[in-house]
Amino acid sequence: MSKQLVEFQEYLKTCRKIVALVGAGLSVSSGLPTFRGSQGLWKNFNMIDLATPDAFYIDPGLVWQFYSWRRYNALQAKPNKGHLALSALSNLATRKDSNLEYITITQNVDGLSSRSGHAKENLYEIHGSLFNLNCTSFMCNYVDRNNLKHPLTKALEGTEYEYDRKNRKRSLEEDDSSHQVDYSISPQFRPVKNIPESELPQCPVCKDGSLLRPGVVWFGESLPLNVMNSVDNFIESNNSVDLILVIGTSGTVYPANSYVDRVKVKGGKVAIFNTDIEEDILQGIVKDTWGFRGDAAELLPIALK
Ligand code: BV8
């Protein structure tokens, strides 16, 4: 066991208040791609063309095909051992006899944390979920949560193709025990048709019909106020956070990337779980920061044991 791990686990035992900040790297071992980097979703497609309100306004059919494809792949995926390790921590914190305060802040929209048995009350999906649908009419508050139907309309048939897996060595399904990580997932979105608005998901409540949209937070949109308030209250309360676990995220996107500094400034320590970590962090020379390099699905069950 490394010196860093021993030190981290000793500190973990003393923690009374913990936050986990989760990104796409946690779901890689479940077969889902990250966003940035050479195999990321945004490598082949510009996020401005697919993940903004303008993109949806210009071509809702294109955007719906993108999200329908990602819904399909997220539905095929299963939570991995990293999701389960966080879920165990979340459930420990909800026990009546527990003196641990805990939240998971996930940027992931794949629903895997929720499907891993994570306690609902301490899971914050700050970028929404692929399985939520919201009405686009300002006059209508219709929301549909956790809708797992696929495809949502007949016109979205054809989005059921899996991410390309180059040089796939071993299927995760075939050998779950080894939990081979497929680092070579190459997402290739293939929009196949122009779809008129009338054939896209429609609000069942609006009289004249309004489009439904994916219940995710697009770039340039505000995050849900109630979620932001709950997270802010947790981090900013007098009782400060002892530890933030930063798992599989590049920390590129605001406001998620602001939480680490906000915890640090109040005296909390940081533990990073990522396949890509700076050398000085690994060497343990960055104050109050531990770094564990590798697959989060492998590292978390060991570190949080
Ligand atoms: C907001 C949902 C107020 C949709 C997502 C300029 C103009 C306009 C806006 C801005 C601007 N500058 C800054 C902004 C604000 C903007 C922003 O931060 N932009 C960035 C790109 C600069 N933020 C916003 O717009 C937010 N709203 O701020 O409101 C406002 C409004 C207007 C103007 C200003 C302010 C809303 C952001 C929400 C965006 N929606 N998702 C969808 O998914 O389609 S975010 C998107 O990035 C992803 O969905 C993901 O959730 C998120 C974070 O990415 P990561 O999870 O970190 O993934 P990434 O690929 O980057 O990294 C993966 C990591 O995993 C890597 O480090 C890798 O090494 C590691 N890894 C890989 N394998 C493994 C692993 N680790 C462990 N194990 C492994 N096996």
Side-chain angles (χ1 to χ4, degrees), residues 57-209:
Y57 179 74
I58 293 165
D59 192 347
L62 174 74
V63 173
W64 257 121
Q65 286 176 76
F66 177 63
Y67 283 95
S68 183
W69 171 62
R70 285 176 57 199
R71 279 169 62 93
Y72 173 78
N73 278 280
L75 274 174
Q76 305 307 306
K78 294 195 178 109
N80 63 51
K81 289 187 272 180
H83 293 105
L84 296 179
L86 295 182
S87 161
L89 203 53
S90 80
N91 284 297
L92 180 69
T94 58
R95 278 173 31 178
K96 279 208 180 93
D97 58 348
S98 168
N99 52 9
L100 174 68
E101 290 181 75
Y102 174 80
I103 59 170
T104 295
I105 304 171
T106 184
Q107 300 167 84
N108 297 346
V109 292
D110 56 31
L112 290 181
S113 286
S114 153
R115 281 168 56 202
S116 70
H118 196 293
K120 281 193 174 45
E121 56 267 50
N122 52 30
L123 175 62
Y124 294 100
E125 293 175 316
I126 60 168
H127 292 164
S129 164
L130 292 170
F131 303 103
N132 293 344
L133 306 172
N134 298 345
C135 181
T136 52
S137 165
F138 291 117
M139 311 291 285
C140 178
N141 293 323
Y142 179 80
V143 289
D144 183 0
R145 294 279 170 262
N146 204 28
N147 182 323
L148 304 182
K149 183 180 166 217
H150 184 89
L152 285 165
T153 66
K154 193 152 176 36
L156 290 169
E157 270 174 13
T159 52
E160 307 74 29
Y161 50 92
E162 294 196 359
Y163 300 125
D164 297 335
R165 289 175 168 79
K166 288 181 194 156
N167 308 318
R168 189 172 180 164
K169 290 188 193 94
R170 200 183 297 157
S171 150
L172 297 177
E173 294 287 318
E174 286 158 21
D175 187 357
D176 196 44
S177 61
S178 75
H179 226 91
Q180 180 86 31
V181 181
D182 185 359
Y183 288 108
S184 56
I185 299 164
S186 169
Q188 303 287 346
F189 172 48
R190 299 191 289 270
V192 286
K193 49 194 163 189
N194 290 322
I195 306 179
E197 280 194 30
S198 58
E199 294 177 25
L200 293 170
Q202 303 289 322
C203 179
V205 172
C206 285
K207 275 201 188 107
D208 300 326

